[in-house]
Amino acid sequence: MSRPYPPLIGWTRCFLRQVFPGLPAAMQRHYSLDVSAPLLRTQGYVDGRWVSAASVFPVLDPATGEEIARVSDCGPAEAKQAVDAAYKAFHSWKQYSAKERSVLLRKWFDLLMLHKEDLAKLITFECGKPMQESLGEIAYSASFLEWFSEEARRVYGDVVPSPAKDRKLLLLKQPVGVSSIITPWNFPSAMITRKAGAALAAGCTVVVKPAEDTPLSALALAELAEQAGIPAGVFNVVPCSRERTPSVGEVLCTDPLVAKISFTGSTATGKVLLKLAADTVKKASMELGGHAPFIVFDSADVDRAVVGAMASKFRNSGQTCVCSNRFLVQSGIHDHFLEKLGRAMDAELRLGHGAEPGTTQGPLINTRAAEKVVHQVSDAVSRGAKVLRGGKRLDGSFMEPTLLAGVTTDMICTQEETFGPLLPVIRFNTEEEALAIANASNVGLAGYFYSQDVSQIWRVAEALEVGLVGVNEGLLSTPEATFGGVKQSGLGREGSKYGIDEYLEVKYMCFGGLKP
């Protein structure tokens, strides 16, 4: 049976009065975005100037559907101007010393931390995250600028022992050039700094195309980059509507002046961009879709597994690329785990507007996202799954966090990434069975499992076909470690000391004619 879910906190005045007429008047409020004027930018940012386009597109609060800003709808012409500006700036930016680039990135980091409250508000209103999560994203976003400000000074080449006495062999690392950065809406700040921090540290210049749902965070980053002293043309932002995204993306992936593309988003879109980039043989980094398994073995600490499941699944209402999507629980602890997980959902999850204190679950990014979750729930129930918590779509793009039991591998929710607050649980009997289910996917970004058997930990960690493994831990990401997947989850790695290599070429120099 589906249990009633805790009441929504803070919604539009009309909906609250219709559905929850007994709520205090103080909770029946209208929400407005209140940030300092310099950070609320609505024009594109090209060559150090704020530029308007011929038209604008609306940015909506996904919690209320209300318009919060109108942003310049840049097209191919503005994208080309940005590429040209980045190419011109590259020739001077690559001449900056590593220390000079490091200092500027550090100033940019300091400004993000100084303005973290306002930057978090932008994320909450355009993306829907609760404020505490938005503040966490800004800290995470800034951490990449801090990390790569330090890595800028550690781009080392090699002196290779020569087989001949009359020559020296050197391997030099040099920036690839202009980099196109195309980012998603679910981490509208951090997905930019994770890429741009590495690119700028390496000596590259960038053109950013933010998601049409969340351009305000990208433009605020541009404002702070300018304040930090990042030179004109080094960091450019071209926001655009959904309708203009294909034409802008084509410029950024085909222009011969662009040397590198870095994309985070769906596998299907990544394949399209790779095809566009192929004609000019651009270097590419792709962080694509995930379908993360979360395995709980009989030997697991169940309480800790429940904590990890809550953190992994319900962060950003299930809208992260490393969210657990398929939960596999061994028979010996299956019922115990479900009971404790249901109680944790009842006690800890509260839906509402992200600006409202106490909210842990905001809306999904739009109504299409909510409809997708509803479809997966309906499909599972029609095939025999049971709804233990939630299961219903609410007003707008809000969706009740949902717990399903009796899930089987023929259900859509175990075959496709959900990107929503749906937690389907599959019962399994053996380790081999769990690994077979976990690896039966054409993507492999993240995977999680809980066990206290040391031998099993090593076996499963090595056997999981993913790029990131969480062992007794539901939250993985940190700038010090690599981020990226295997199979159709992408190409390359971001973060860590390896992240900067994605923006560098290795040049071999043979210095001959030397006297022994």
Side-chain angles (χ1 to χ4, degrees), residues 278-312:
D279 281 346
T280 45
V281 196
K282 300 187 190 307
K283 193 168 185 177
S285 296
M286 295 277 147
E287 194 263 282
L288 307 178
H291 192 35
F294 187 105
I295 308 171
V296 186
F297 291 103
D298 282 344
S299 66
D301 180 329
V302 174
D303 289 333
R304 187 165 183 171
V306 167
V307 171
M310 293 289 289
S312 176

Side-chain angles (χ1 to χ4, degrees), residues 55-124:
S55 59
V56 295
F57 67 98
V59 179
L60 306 179
D61 180 345
T64 65
E66 295 178 356
E67 183 179 297
I68 56 177
R70 291 192 175 189
V71 174
S72 291
D73 193 3
C74 295
E78 289 82 7
K80 176 58 176 171
Q81 290 169 14
V83 169
D84 290 345
Y87 186 72
K88 179 182 177 182
F90 171 64
H91 294 289
S92 57
W93 179 246
K94 69 180 180 180
Q95 299 299 330
Y96 277 54
S97 71
K99 183 175 181 179
E100 287 172 323
R101 294 196 297 268
S102 173
V103 168
L104 290 172
L105 284 169
R106 179 70 197 201
K107 287 181 180 178
W108 199 8
F109 159 79
D110 290 336
L111 286 169
L112 259 68
M113 296 308 294
L114 180 65
H115 295 283
K116 61 183 179 182
E117 295 285 344
D118 280 347
L119 295 172
K121 288 178 185 176
L122 289 174
I123 292 174
T124 289

Side-chain angles (χ1 to χ4, degrees), residues 179-241:
S179 301
S180 295
I181 290 175
I182 303 173
T183 56
W185 50 263
N186 59 334
F187 285 89
S189 182
M191 294 302 94
I192 294 173
T193 59
R194 189 161 71 188
K195 300 172 188 297
L200 269 59
C204 297
T205 56
V206 302
V207 179
V208 178
K209 205 296 285 183
E212 62 273 9
D213 295 298
T214 56
L216 301 179
S217 291
L219 295 170
L221 287 175
E223 167 64 28
L224 295 180
E226 185 175 83
Q227 291 184 24
I230 304 293
V234 172
F235 184 82
N236 306 273
V237 180
V238 285
C240 65
S241 63

